[in-house]
Amino acid sequence: MSAGGLASGEPDGEWLRVHPATPFVRGWVALAAIGYFFGRDSFERLLQGQPLIDDRIAGRAPWLLGGGALMLVLAVLGFILSWYFTRYQVAEGYVRVNTGFLFKQQRQARLDRVQAIDIVQPLLARIFGLAELKFEVADAGESAVRLAYLRIDVARQLRATILARASGVRLDPEHPEAPAPEAPEQQVLQVPPSRLVGSLLLSEQSVFVVLGAAASVMLSALTENRAFFLYLIPAALGLIAAYWNSFTKGYNFTAAISPDGIRLRYGLLDTQAQTLPPGRIQALKVAQPPLWRLFGWYRMQVNAAGYGAAGANNGEAGARTTLLPVGKMDDVLNMLALVLPDPGTADPLRVFHQGVNGLDSDAGFVTTPRRARLLAPLGWRRNAFAATDTALLMRSGRWWRQLVVVPHQRTQSIAMQQGPLARRFGLADLVLHTTAGPVAPRVIQADIREAQALFDAQAARARAARRRQTSEQWLAQVAPAMAPVVEPAPLVEPVPHPTTAPQQEGQQRG
């Protein structure tokens, strides 16, 4: 049975094995540890020009060598058994992976529930031309299925075949089990390394470190105590490590569109290729830190089922929920066009420009009332929302600007919240619940009447959008955009004031 399997045209349902080098790529650390433990002393003695074996332990040398050889043989045997009992299958609408020879485990994922498929290549796997497949499904906090390792060409072919079946592509009826060809793609954008480095130097953490350094210098000058400089050492080391991690994760970031989804590639040492199917992104956020405004840069993050709430903090998960690490406004609009092919408004450029950078009530945005300026003296003109035929837009932040976009059908539930101060000023916040992730959709300090009207209207829009979504196969829901072009659609008028008194708190399940 070859690792090519389905990708090589073998019958559907065949149990296949991963590449034979898989356990060694995974367990090279154990082999290195055994070699270091048994060979460190001899290696040091060799460098010093001394005999390889100390005279004091010469009598025990055969036993030590035998013990090391036995541990090495056991480790290699464990690797071989691990490879032999690791098999995968694509059949009956599922992808299944069996592992373990003492404690067996089977993990499976339904093809029509696949949210994304990633191709991951750690540095050692890249050297051997191998790759790992990660399958993300709904309601999974971590990868539902991890298939490692396959030859890179086999991994790409298998991904193309599974995405084709999951998306509802009709393959050749005479050969339904034949592998699907890899879908063509069109590159949308690429982030230059210089822009990535500049974004890191102008990030929020850089500002805090510079302020800390300035404070340390002032305190040292005033107190004539140079110990304050010692506090800069761990901060500088942490900043360098954070910079390096962000640089390696975002290096050579490219985005492309294809019939099977949005393809993202990035990484310096460990490379990763993601495929996010159209319509499977739950929420999107466009953010702009203050210093990025000098160059007109923005960052885009998403909530996607399967990536989980750790995407906001964990390094790997944070990279996987980043749709654009740093880009210009044209890049933002291009990515928005891929995520939301139908913006649901007749003037999408004006609406999204106002959502990202605008103030007050232009382009149909409903802002925080003027009476709330005491609670948000800088942000009351910025905090606003607008609804189109296909999505709800929520903007906030005067210095740290944010625009959150939630497609109507991705609204899982809605909650209206009002604290004592908000009640005093006649305000309320509206929270939209979607899949966990770095994006937290929230309408901030809306007028209580407008919040109640939006509460009712958004619940109705979400129900109607889900009724129109009759299939889990994403090609049955949307037509993939093969170019970054925003198509116009009718504009939805702002939500009118209701004539009845609103309730102050409420929650409705979609």
Side-chain angles (χ1 to χ4, degrees):
M1 243 180 252
S2 70
L6 183 65
S8 302
E10 292 189 8
D12 188 16
E14 217 34 56
W15 281 99
L16 310 169
R17 289 195 177 91
V18 296
H19 195 277
T22 294
F24 297 94
V25 175
R26 282 180 166 176
W28 67 270
V29 175
L31 297 179
I34 294 174
Y36 176 79
F37 180 79
F38 285 96
R40 179 188 63 176
D41 186 65
S42 297
F43 182 71
E44 291 177 353
R45 295 178 64 82
L46 178 64
L47 294 179
Q48 296 171 1
Q50 300 178 10
L52 292 180
I53 301 177
D54 194 333
D55 295 335
R56 293 173 296 177
I57 62 171
R60 290 176 292 173
W63 295 100
L64 292 175
L65 292 176
L70 179 61
M71 291 186 62
L72 184 62
V73 169
L74 291 177
V76 172
L77 181 61
F79 288 170
I80 295 174
L81 291 176
S82 173
W83 166 79
Y84 183 81
F85 286 97
T86 299
R87 299 185 299 169
Y88 69 95
Q89 177 195 55
V90 180
E92 301 172 353
Y94 287 87
V95 55
R96 301 182 178 94
V97 178
N98 284 350
T99 57
F101 59 94
L102 290 180
F103 302 96
K104 295 184 178 295
Q105 182 185 56
Q106 181 182 93
R107 305 201 72 174
Q108 65 180 19
R110 278 177 49 185
L111 295 185
D112 60 358
R113 300 292 290 173
V114 171
Q115 303 288 320
I117 300 180
D118 302 349
I119 293 182
V120 183
Q121 284 190 286
L123 181 59
L124 189 60
R126 289 175 62 189
I127 295 175
F128 288 97
L130 304 178
E132 176 185 11
L133 282 179
K134 291 183 179 180
F135 302 88
E136 309 295 345
V137 299
D139 305 325
E142 58 182 16
S143 298
V145 174
R146 300 170 70 108
L147 186 56
Y149 285 92
L150 306 175
R151 291 201 322 270
I152 182 61
D153 57 332
V154 173
R156 289 171 177 165
Q157 183 63 75
L158 184 60
R159 179 186 65 170
T161 301
I162 292 176
L163 284 175
R165 296 188 181 187
S167 62
V169 171
R170 295 183 178 181
L171 303 176
D172 186 356
E174 297 182 358
H175 303 88
E177 298 174 355
E182 189 168 7
E185 66 178 47
Q186 177 178 333
Q187 184 170 310
V188 176
L189 61 89
Q190 184 172 13
V191 177
S194 58
R195 184 188 299 172
L196 181 62
V197 172
S199 69
L200 295 176
L201 296 178
L202 296 178
S203 62
E204 300 94 324
Q205 56 193 8
S206 297
V207 175
F208 293 137
V209 170
V210 170
L211 292 177
S216 298
V217 171
M218 292 180 60
L219 290 173
S220 298
L222 293 175
T223 63
E224 297 184 355
N225 184 357
R226 300 186 181 277
F228 289 102
F229 286 106
L230 297 178
Y231 295 105
L232 296 178
I233 297 176
L237 293 177
L239 184 64
I240 292 172
Y243 280 166
W244 175 250
N245 181 64
S246 299
F247 180 77
T248 56
K249 295 292 184 183
Y251 181 79
N252 197 32
F253 184 96
T254 60
I257 185 64
S258 72
D260 56 20
I262 303 171
R263 295 181 179 176
L264 308 177
R265 296 184 179 88
Y266 51 87
L268 178 61
L269 300 179
D270 299 346
T271 63
Q272 185 153 324
Q274 291 178 242
T275 301
L276 288 172
R280 290 294 175 91
I281 292 175
Q282 312 291 311
L284 177 144
K285 177 175 68 176
V286 182
Q288 184 183 52
L291 294 181
W292 285 19
R293 207 174 303 173
L294 298 173
F295 298 93
W297 292 340
Y298 304 87
R299 178 192 301 120
M300 299 180 71
Q301 293 176 289
V302 297
N303 288 356
Y307 289 160
N313 304 314
N314 179 267
E316 179 185 357
R320 298 172 72 193
T321 56
T322 299
L323 197 63
L324 177 65
V326 55
K328 298 279 192 176
M329 176 56 73
D330 289 343
D331 300 327
V332 171
L333 294 176
N334 285 339
M335 298 306 292
L336 279 169
L338 304 185
V339 175
L340 201 66
D342 178 11
T345 170
D347 193 357
L349 294 179
R350 180 166 175 261
V351 170
F352 287 122
H353 269 288
Q354 286 297 319
V356 174
N357 297 316
L359 295 173
D360 300 324
S361 299
D362 293 338
F365 278 88
V366 180
T367 61
T368 297
R370 184 178 180 83
R371 63 178 180 272
R373 62 187 183 276
L374 294 178
L375 296 181
L378 297 178
W380 70 273
R381 297 174 59 195
R382 171 72 181 160
N383 300 335
F385 68 89
T388 73
D389 279 341
T390 56
L392 182 66
L393 284 64
M394 294 154 278
R395 75 182 188 199
S396 61
R398 189 65 177 269
W399 293 104
W400 277 267
R401 295 176 178 174
Q402 289 189 2
L403 171 67
V404 174
V405 181
V406 179
H408 294 320
Q409 69 271 23
R410 300 306 171 191
T411 302
Q412 297 180 2
S413 66
I414 313 170
M416 193 165 68
Q417 301 176 352
Q418 188 182 54
L421 281 178
R423 189 177 299 113
R424 170 65 180 82
F425 285 88
L427 306 174
D429 288 4
L430 203 69
V431 180
L432 272 67
H433 302 138
T434 68
T435 299
V439 184
R442 190 183 191 96
V443 177
I444 300 176
Q445 295 178 339
D447 178 85
I448 183 64
R449 292 181 176 271
E450 290 167 343
Q452 179 61 48
L454 178 62
F455 181 92
D456 297 332
Q458 184 62 23
R461 283 190 286 260
R463 287 194 300 269
R466 282 194 295 271
R467 281 197 297 267
R468 291 193 295 269
Q469 179 182 317
T470 58
S471 174
E472 288 290 343
Q473 295 179 332
W474 58 80
L475 284 186
Q477 303 171 31
V478 295
M482 288 305 295
V485 179
V486 179
E487 296 293 339
L491 178 66
V492 174
E493 296 295 330
V495 177
H497 290 270
T499 56
T500 58
Q503 62 186 45
Q504 293 181 351
E505 295 185 0
Q507 185 167 356
Q508 180 166 345
R509 284 282 169 188

